[in-house]
mmCIF file of all heavy atoms in Angstrom:
data_model
loop_
_atom_site.group_PDB
_atom_site.id
_atom_site.type_symbol
_atom_site.label_atom_id
_atom_site.label_comp_id
_atom_site.label_asym_id
_atom_site.label_seq_id
_atom_site.Cartn_x
_atom_site.Cartn_y
_atom_site.Cartn_z
ATOM 1 N N ILE A 169 0.840 -1.202 0.000
ATOM 2 C CA ILE A 169 0.000 0.000 0.000
ATOM 3 C C ILE A 169 0.875 1.253 0.000
ATOM 4 O O ILE A 169 0.606 2.220 -0.726
ATOM 5 C CB ILE A 169 -0.959 0.010 1.214
ATOM 6 C CG1 ILE A 169 -1.947 -1.149 1.132
ATOM 7 C CG2 ILE A 169 -1.728 1.330 1.269
ATOM 8 C CD1 ILE A 169 -2.862 -1.266 2.345
ATOM 9 N N ALA A 170 1.944 1.248 0.793
ATOM 10 C CA ALA A 170 2.869 2.388 0.803
ATOM 11 C C ALA A 170 3.509 2.568 -0.560
ATOM 12 O O ALA A 170 3.667 3.698 -1.054
ATOM 13 C CB ALA A 170 3.942 2.185 1.880
ATOM 14 N N LEU A 171 3.871 1.461 -1.191
ATOM 15 C CA LEU A 171 4.475 1.517 -2.523
ATOM 16 C C LEU A 171 3.484 2.073 -3.542
ATOM 17 O O LEU A 171 3.830 2.927 -4.373
ATOM 18 C CB LEU A 171 4.921 0.110 -2.927
ATOM 19 C CG LEU A 171 5.814 -0.029 -4.157
ATOM 20 C CD1 LEU A 171 7.153 0.663 -3.937
ATOM 21 C CD2 LEU A 171 6.041 -1.505 -4.474
ATOM 22 N N ALA A 172 2.237 1.612 -3.473
ATOM 23 C CA ALA A 172 1.208 2.094 -4.396
ATOM 24 C C ALA A 172 0.946 3.586 -4.187
ATOM 25 O O ALA A 172 0.789 4.345 -5.160
ATOM 26 C CB ALA A 172 -0.078 1.298 -4.206
ATOM 27 N N HIS A 173 0.921 4.020 -2.933
ATOM 28 C CA HIS A 173 0.700 5.443 -2.653
ATOM 29 C C HIS A 173 1.834 6.283 -3.235
ATOM 30 O O HIS A 173 1.585 7.325 -3.859
ATOM 31 C CB HIS A 173 0.607 5.671 -1.145
ATOM 32 C CG HIS A 173 0.589 7.111 -0.753
ATOM 33 N ND1 HIS A 173 -0.487 7.940 -0.979
ATOM 34 C CD2 HIS A 173 1.549 7.889 -0.165
ATOM 35 C CE1 HIS A 173 -0.213 9.160 -0.552
ATOM 36 N NE2 HIS A 173 1.013 9.161 -0.042
ATOM 37 N N ALA A 174 3.067 5.849 -3.047
ATOM 38 C CA ALA A 174 4.202 6.597 -3.602
ATOM 39 C C ALA A 174 4.139 6.635 -5.121
ATOM 40 O O ALA A 174 4.372 7.683 -5.743
ATOM 41 C CB ALA A 174 5.516 5.978 -3.135
ATOM 42 N N ASN A 175 3.782 5.511 -5.728
ATOM 43 C CA ASN A 175 3.729 5.448 -7.185
ATOM 44 C C ASN A 175 2.641 6.333 -7.777
ATOM 45 O O ASN A 175 2.723 6.745 -8.947
ATOM 46 C CB ASN A 175 3.521 4.001 -7.641
ATOM 47 C CG ASN A 175 4.758 3.147 -7.453
ATOM 48 O OD1 ASN A 175 5.866 3.655 -7.328
ATOM 49 N ND2 ASN A 175 4.578 1.835 -7.441
ATOM 50 N N ASP A 176 1.602 6.640 -6.984
ATOM 51 C CA ASP A 176 0.525 7.511 -7.465
ATOM 52 C C ASP A 176 1.048 8.904 -7.839
ATOM 53 O O ASP A 176 0.415 9.616 -8.620
ATOM 54 C CB ASP A 176 -0.560 7.653 -6.393
ATOM 55 C CG ASP A 176 -1.429 6.410 -6.272
ATOM 56 O OD1 ASP A 176 -1.470 5.618 -7.229
ATOM 57 O OD2 ASP A 176 -2.057 6.233 -5.212
ATOM 58 N N PHE A 177 2.170 9.313 -7.257
ATOM 59 C CA PHE A 177 2.699 10.659 -7.486
ATOM 60 C C PHE A 177 3.902 10.644 -8.441
ATOM 61 O O PHE A 177 4.616 11.637 -8.534
ATOM 62 C CB PHE A 177 3.101 11.284 -6.148
ATOM 63 C CG PHE A 177 1.932 11.516 -5.228
ATOM 64 C CD1 PHE A 177 1.551 10.552 -4.304
ATOM 65 C CD2 PHE A 177 1.196 12.683 -5.295
ATOM 66 C CE1 PHE A 177 0.472 10.748 -3.469
ATOM 67 C CE2 PHE A 177 0.115 12.893 -4.462
ATOM 68 C CZ PHE A 177 -0.256 11.925 -3.546
ATOM 69 N N MET A 178 4.113 9.531 -9.136
ATOM 70 C CA MET A 178 5.274 9.412 -10.017
ATOM 71 C C MET A 178 4.857 9.267 -11.470
ATOM 72 O O MET A 178 3.777 8.755 -11.778
ATOM 73 C CB MET A 178 6.114 8.187 -9.615
ATOM 74 C CG MET A 178 6.705 8.286 -8.227
ATOM 75 S SD MET A 178 7.484 6.736 -7.750
ATOM 76 C CE MET A 178 7.828 7.075 -6.018
ATOM 77 N N ARG A 179 5.744 9.715 -12.360
ATOM 78 C CA ARG A 179 5.570 9.442 -13.772
ATOM 79 C C ARG A 179 5.882 7.969 -14.028
ATOM 80 O O ARG A 179 6.576 7.322 -13.245
ATOM 81 C CB ARG A 179 6.482 10.317 -14.629
ATOM 82 C CG ARG A 179 6.297 11.812 -14.429
ATOM 83 C CD ARG A 179 7.122 12.592 -15.457
ATOM 84 N NE ARG A 179 8.518 12.146 -15.458
ATOM 85 C CZ ARG A 179 9.472 12.695 -14.700
ATOM 86 N NH1 ARG A 179 9.166 13.681 -13.855
ATOM 87 N NH2 ARG A 179 10.720 12.259 -14.764
ATOM 88 N N SER A 180 5.389 7.443 -15.153
ATOM 89 C CA SER A 180 5.608 6.027 -15.441
ATOM 90 C C SER A 180 7.088 5.688 -15.549
ATOM 91 O O SER A 180 7.511 4.598 -15.163
ATOM 92 C CB SER A 180 4.894 5.642 -16.746
ATOM 93 O OG SER A 180 5.372 6.430 -17.832
ATOM 94 N N ASP A 181 7.909 6.656 -16.040
ATOM 95 C CA ASP A 181 9.334 6.370 -16.168
ATOM 96 C C ASP A 181 10.072 6.441 -14.830
ATOM 97 O O ASP A 181 11.230 6.041 -14.727
ATOM 98 C CB ASP A 181 9.984 7.337 -17.161
ATOM 99 C CG ASP A 181 9.875 8.793 -16.715
ATOM 100 O OD1 ASP A 181 8.775 9.205 -16.290
ATOM 101 O OD2 ASP A 181 10.875 9.512 -16.781
ATOM 102 N N GLU A 182 9.387 6.933 -13.774
ATOM 103 C CA GLU A 182 9.998 7.000 -12.452
ATOM 104 C C GLU A 182 9.658 5.795 -11.583
ATOM 105 O O GLU A 182 10.282 5.587 -10.537
ATOM 106 C CB GLU A 182 9.543 8.272 -11.720
ATOM 107 C CG GLU A 182 10.026 9.564 -12.320
ATOM 108 C CD GLU A 182 9.479 10.773 -11.589
ATOM 109 O OE1 GLU A 182 8.320 10.705 -11.101
ATOM 110 O OE2 GLU A 182 10.199 11.788 -11.485
ATOM 111 N N VAL A 183 8.670 4.988 -11.998
ATOM 112 C CA VAL A 183 8.148 3.939 -11.132
ATOM 113 C C VAL A 183 9.213 2.919 -10.767
ATOM 114 O O VAL A 183 9.412 2.595 -9.593
ATOM 115 C CB VAL A 183 6.937 3.238 -11.793
ATOM 116 C CG1 VAL A 183 6.579 1.957 -11.046
ATOM 117 C CG2 VAL A 183 5.737 4.173 -11.824
ATOM 118 N N VAL A 184 9.924 2.385 -11.760
ATOM 119 C CA VAL A 184 10.904 1.336 -11.475
ATOM 120 C C VAL A 184 12.077 1.854 -10.643
ATOM 121 O O VAL A 184 12.412 1.260 -9.607
ATOM 122 C CB VAL A 184 11.400 0.668 -12.777
ATOM 123 C CG1 VAL A 184 12.570 -0.269 -12.492
ATOM 124 C CG2 VAL A 184 10.264 -0.108 -13.433
ATOM 125 N N PRO A 185 12.748 2.965 -11.035
ATOM 126 C CA PRO A 185 13.848 3.433 -10.186
ATOM 127 C C PRO A 185 13.401 3.877 -8.800
ATOM 128 O O PRO A 185 14.110 3.664 -7.815
ATOM 129 C CB PRO A 185 14.438 4.604 -10.979
ATOM 130 C CG PRO A 185 13.395 5.003 -11.954
ATOM 131 C CD PRO A 185 12.643 3.764 -12.273
ATOM 132 N N ALA A 186 12.203 4.469 -8.688
ATOM 133 C CA ALA A 186 11.716 4.870 -7.367
ATOM 134 C C ALA A 186 11.365 3.648 -6.529
ATOM 135 O O ALA A 186 11.659 3.600 -5.329
ATOM 136 C CB ALA A 186 10.496 5.774 -7.508
ATOM 137 N N SER A 187 10.747 2.644 -7.148
ATOM 138 C CA SER A 187 10.407 1.427 -6.421
ATOM 139 C C SER A 187 11.657 0.704 -5.952
ATOM 140 O O SER A 187 11.672 0.092 -4.876
ATOM 141 C CB SER A 187 9.556 0.500 -7.297
ATOM 142 O OG SER A 187 8.328 1.112 -7.638
ATOM 143 N N ALA A 188 12.714 0.757 -6.759
ATOM 144 C CA ALA A 188 13.983 0.165 -6.341
ATOM 145 C C ALA A 188 14.515 0.877 -5.101
ATOM 146 O O ALA A 188 15.013 0.246 -4.161
ATOM 147 C CB ALA A 188 14.998 0.243 -7.478
ATOM 148 N N GLY A 189 14.388 2.199 -5.080
ATOM 149 C CA GLY A 189 14.825 2.951 -3.908
ATOM 150 C C GLY A 189 13.966 2.671 -2.698
ATOM 151 O O GLY A 189 14.467 2.559 -1.573
ATOM 152 N N LEU A 190 12.642 2.517 -2.915
ATOM 153 C CA LEU A 190 11.743 2.219 -1.804
ATOM 154 C C LEU A 190 11.996 0.819 -1.244
ATOM 155 O O LEU A 190 11.903 0.595 -0.036
ATOM 156 C CB LEU A 190 10.289 2.355 -2.266
ATOM 157 C CG LEU A 190 9.826 3.790 -2.536
ATOM 158 C CD1 LEU A 190 8.485 3.802 -3.269
ATOM 159 C CD2 LEU A 190 9.720 4.580 -1.232
ATOM 160 N N LEU A 191 12.318 -0.122 -2.128
ATOM 161 C CA LEU A 191 12.670 -1.460 -1.658
ATOM 162 C C LEU A 191 13.949 -1.424 -0.834
ATOM 163 O O LEU A 191 14.089 -2.142 0.163
ATOM 164 C CB LEU A 191 12.824 -2.414 -2.841
ATOM 165 C CG LEU A 191 13.154 -3.869 -2.497
ATOM 166 C CD1 LEU A 191 12.074 -4.474 -1.619
ATOM 167 C CD2 LEU A 191 13.343 -4.695 -3.763
ATOM 168 N N LEU A 192 14.874 -0.558 -1.231
ATOM 169 C CA LEU A 192 16.098 -0.390 -0.450
ATOM 170 C C LEU A 192 15.769 0.167 0.936
ATOM 171 O O LEU A 192 16.354 -0.257 1.944
ATOM 172 C CB LEU A 192 17.062 0.547 -1.185
ATOM 173 C CG LEU A 192 18.429 0.765 -0.539
ATOM 174 C CD1 LEU A 192 19.194 -0.543 -0.436
ATOM 175 C CD2 LEU A 192 19.234 1.795 -1.341
ATOM 176 N N MET A 193 14.809 1.107 1.009
ATOM 177 C CA MET A 193 14.380 1.632 2.305
ATOM 178 C C MET A 193 13.741 0.527 3.156
ATOM 179 O O MET A 193 13.955 0.460 4.371
ATOM 180 C CB MET A 193 13.364 2.771 2.100
ATOM 181 C CG MET A 193 13.939 4.020 1.438
ATOM 182 S SD MET A 193 15.247 4.801 2.437
ATOM 183 C CE MET A 193 16.717 4.122 1.649
ATOM 184 N N PHE A 194 12.953 -0.328 2.518
ATOM 185 C CA PHE A 194 12.396 -1.472 3.235
ATOM 186 C C PHE A 194 13.520 -2.367 3.754
ATOM 187 O O PHE A 194 13.461 -2.872 4.880
ATOM 188 C CB PHE A 194 11.481 -2.275 2.314
ATOM 189 C CG PHE A 194 10.979 -3.560 2.925
ATOM 190 C CD1 PHE A 194 9.875 -3.560 3.753
ATOM 191 C CD2 PHE A 194 11.624 -4.762 2.667
ATOM 192 C CE1 PHE A 194 9.416 -4.740 4.327
ATOM 193 C CE2 PHE A 194 11.171 -5.942 3.239
ATOM 194 C CZ PHE A 194 10.064 -5.938 4.066
ATOM 195 N N GLY A 195 14.559 -2.555 2.942
ATOM 196 C CA GLY A 195 15.694 -3.373 3.357
ATOM 197 C C GLY A 195 16.418 -2.781 4.555
ATOM 198 O O GLY A 195 16.829 -3.514 5.459
ATOM 199 N N VAL A 196 16.565 -1.466 4.567
ATOM 200 C CA VAL A 196 17.203 -0.810 5.706
ATOM 201 C C VAL A 196 16.378 -1.048 6.963
ATOM 202 O O VAL A 196 16.910 -1.357 8.047
ATOM 203 C CB VAL A 196 17.372 0.699 5.440
ATOM 204 C CG1 VAL A 196 17.826 1.423 6.707
ATOM 205 C CG2 VAL A 196 18.377 0.922 4.310
ATOM 206 N N GLY A 197 15.049 -0.920 6.847
ATOM 207 C CA GLY A 197 14.184 -1.202 7.987
ATOM 208 C C GLY A 197 14.292 -2.647 8.443
ATOM 209 O O GLY A 197 14.255 -2.934 9.644
ATOM 210 N N SER A 198 14.473 -3.568 7.484
ATOM 211 C CA SER A 198 14.593 -4.984 7.819
ATOM 212 C C SER A 198 15.898 -5.288 8.534
ATOM 213 O O SER A 198 15.993 -6.283 9.256
ATOM 214 C CB SER A 198 14.487 -5.834 6.543
ATOM 215 O OG SER A 198 13.227 -5.677 5.935
ATOM 216 N N VAL A 199 16.913 -4.464 8.306
ATOM 217 C CA VAL A 199 18.183 -4.623 9.019
ATOM 218 C C VAL A 199 18.030 -4.141 10.461
ATOM 219 O O VAL A 199 18.436 -4.809 11.417
ATOM 220 C CB VAL A 199 19.320 -3.847 8.319
ATOM 221 C CG1 VAL A 199 20.576 -3.848 9.184
ATOM 222 C CG2 VAL A 199 19.614 -4.458 6.944
ATOM 223 N N VAL A 200 17.421 -2.980 10.624
ATOM 224 C CA VAL A 200 17.319 -2.362 11.948
ATOM 225 C C VAL A 200 16.257 -3.041 12.809
ATOM 226 O O VAL A 200 16.431 -3.193 14.033
ATOM 227 C CB VAL A 200 17.007 -0.859 11.802
ATOM 228 C CG1 VAL A 200 16.827 -0.206 13.171
ATOM 229 C CG2 VAL A 200 18.107 -0.165 11.012
ATOM 230 N N GLY A 201 15.141 -3.484 12.196
ATOM 231 C CA GLY A 201 14.015 -4.028 12.935
ATOM 232 C C GLY A 201 14.358 -5.175 13.877
ATOM 233 O O GLY A 201 14.039 -5.111 15.075
ATOM 234 N N PRO A 202 15.001 -6.248 13.387
ATOM 235 C CA PRO A 202 15.319 -7.355 14.301
ATOM 236 C C PRO A 202 16.252 -6.953 15.435
ATOM 237 O O PRO A 202 16.138 -7.476 16.556
ATOM 238 C CB PRO A 202 15.987 -8.383 13.376
ATOM 239 C CG PRO A 202 15.500 -8.054 12.013
ATOM 240 C CD PRO A 202 15.347 -6.570 12.000
ATOM 241 N N VAL A 203 17.177 -6.034 15.162
ATOM 242 C CA VAL A 203 18.116 -5.598 16.198
ATOM 243 C C VAL A 203 17.369 -4.849 17.302
ATOM 244 O O VAL A 203 17.528 -5.151 18.493
ATOM 245 C CB VAL A 203 19.223 -4.711 15.598
ATOM 246 C CG1 VAL A 203 20.148 -4.194 16.700
ATOM 247 C CG2 VAL A 203 20.025 -5.487 14.560
ATOM 248 N N LEU A 204 16.530 -3.891 16.912
ATOM 249 C CA LEU A 204 15.769 -3.136 17.909
ATOM 250 C C LEU A 204 14.804 -4.038 18.675
ATOM 251 O O LEU A 204 14.688 -3.950 19.904
ATOM 252 C CB LEU A 204 14.996 -2.005 17.231
ATOM 253 C CG LEU A 204 15.815 -0.852 16.640
ATOM 254 C CD1 LEU A 204 14.885 0.171 16.009
ATOM 255 C CD2 LEU A 204 16.684 -0.203 17.703
ATOM 256 N N ALA A 205 14.109 -4.911 17.943
ATOM 257 C CA ALA A 205 13.137 -5.784 18.592
ATOM 258 C C ALA A 205 13.807 -6.703 19.605
ATOM 259 O O ALA A 205 13.278 -6.925 20.709
ATOM 260 C CB ALA A 205 12.390 -6.610 17.548
ATOM 261 N N SER A 206 14.976 -7.244 19.246
ATOM 262 C CA SER A 206 15.665 -8.154 20.166
ATOM 263 C C SER A 206 16.147 -7.419 21.413
ATOM 264 O O SER A 206 16.158 -7.991 22.505
ATOM 265 C CB SER A 206 16.839 -8.826 19.453
ATOM 266 O OG SER A 206 17.833 -7.880 19.073
ATOM 267 N N GLN A 207 16.522 -6.154 21.257
ATOM 268 C CA GLN A 207 16.937 -5.380 22.428
ATOM 269 C C GLN A 207 15.751 -5.153 23.370
ATOM 270 O O GLN A 207 15.877 -5.261 24.592
ATOM 271 C CB GLN A 207 17.523 -4.026 21.985
ATOM 272 C CG GLN A 207 18.739 -4.119 21.083
ATOM 273 C CD GLN A 207 19.896 -4.852 21.728
ATOM 274 O OE1 GLN A 207 20.225 -4.613 22.887
ATOM 275 N NE2 GLN A 207 20.532 -5.752 20.977
ATOM 276 N N VAL A 208 14.591 -4.840 22.792
ATOM 277 C CA VAL A 208 13.384 -4.648 23.609
ATOM 278 C C VAL A 208 12.997 -5.955 24.284
ATOM 279 O O VAL A 208 12.612 -5.980 25.462
ATOM 280 C CB VAL A 208 12.226 -4.117 22.744
ATOM 281 C CG1 VAL A 208 10.940 -4.014 23.569
ATOM 282 C CG2 VAL A 208 12.584 -2.748 22.165
ATOM 283 N N MET A 209 13.115 -7.069 23.557
ATOM 284 C CA MET A 209 12.792 -8.377 24.135
ATOM 285 C C MET A 209 13.748 -8.719 25.276
ATOM 286 O O MET A 209 13.360 -9.372 26.253
ATOM 287 C CB MET A 209 12.842 -9.458 23.054
ATOM 288 C CG MET A 209 11.745 -9.327 22.003
ATOM 289 S SD MET A 209 11.953 -10.467 20.607
ATOM 290 C CE MET A 209 11.471 -12.026 21.370
ATOM 291 N N GLY A 210 14.999 -8.290 25.151
ATOM 292 C CA GLY A 210 15.959 -8.539 26.209
ATOM 293 C C GLY A 210 15.598 -7.823 27.493
ATOM 294 O O GLY A 210 15.914 -8.294 28.591
ATOM 295 N N VAL A 211 14.902 -6.694 27.362
ATOM 296 C CA VAL A 211 14.521 -5.900 28.540
ATOM 297 C C VAL A 211 13.145 -6.301 29.073
ATOM 298 O O VAL A 211 12.946 -6.477 30.276
ATOM 299 C CB VAL A 211 14.534 -4.390 28.200
ATOM 300 C CG1 VAL A 211 14.017 -3.573 29.372
ATOM 301 C CG2 VAL A 211 15.938 -3.955 27.812
ATOM 302 N N LEU A 212 12.161 -6.468 28.157
ATOM 303 C CA LEU A 212 10.775 -6.692 28.557
ATOM 304 C C LEU A 212 10.354 -8.153 28.507
ATOM 305 O O LEU A 212 9.236 -8.483 28.912
ATOM 306 C CB LEU A 212 9.832 -5.875 27.661
ATOM 307 C CG LEU A 212 10.031 -4.360 27.669
ATOM 308 C CD1 LEU A 212 9.017 -3.687 26.746
ATOM 309 C CD2 LEU A 212 9.914 -3.800 29.086
ATOM 310 N N GLY A 213 11.214 -9.027 28.004
ATOM 311 C CA GLY A 213 10.819 -10.421 27.840
ATOM 312 C C GLY A 213 10.277 -10.665 26.441
ATOM 313 O O GLY A 213 10.246 -9.763 25.594
ATOM 314 N N PHE A 214 9.819 -11.892 26.177
ATOM 315 C CA PHE A 214 9.419 -12.249 24.809
ATOM 316 C C PHE A 214 8.259 -11.408 24.302
ATOM 317 O O PHE A 214 8.135 -11.153 23.101
ATOM 318 C CB PHE A 214 9.103 -13.745 24.718
ATOM 319 C CG PHE A 214 7.880 -14.178 25.474
ATOM 320 C CD1 PHE A 214 6.638 -14.208 24.850
ATOM 321 C CD2 PHE A 214 7.964 -14.590 26.802
ATOM 322 C CE1 PHE A 214 5.512 -14.622 25.536
ATOM 323 C CE2 PHE A 214 6.844 -15.002 27.501
ATOM 324 C CZ PHE A 214 5.602 -15.018 26.866
ATOM 325 N N ASN A 215 7.378 -10.922 25.193
ATOM 326 C CA ASN A 215 6.275 -10.057 24.757
ATOM 327 C C ASN A 215 6.770 -8.711 24.242
ATOM 328 O O ASN A 215 6.010 -7.971 23.606
ATOM 329 C CB ASN A 215 5.302 -9.830 25.911
ATOM 330 C CG ASN A 215 4.422 -11.038 26.177
ATOM 331 O OD1 ASN A 215 4.084 -11.763 25.250
ATOM 332 N ND2 ASN A 215 4.059 -11.254 27.428
#
């Protein structure tokens, strides 16, 4: 849905390079997410 919303404001020739950049942003979040979550789990328990 976030990808579709971003693409609504792009020209057709911008869709692929912009989507590649957005996927990279998702990848950055995927790197940070497990690290942050595990730190919180270490403090608060598995919940």
Side-chain angles (χ1 to χ4, degrees):
I169 296 176
L171 191 64
H173 171 71
N175 288 340
D176 285 339
F177 295 92
M178 296 173 189
R179 302 187 308 269
S180 59
D181 61 315
E182 293 177 326
V183 168
V184 171
S187 297
L190 289 168
L191 182 59
L192 183 61
M193 294 298 97
F194 174 84
V196 171
S198 297
V199 171
V200 177
V203 177
L204 292 180
S206 64
Q207 300 300 315
V208 176
M209 292 172 74
V211 175
L212 300 181
F214 68 91
N215 285 328

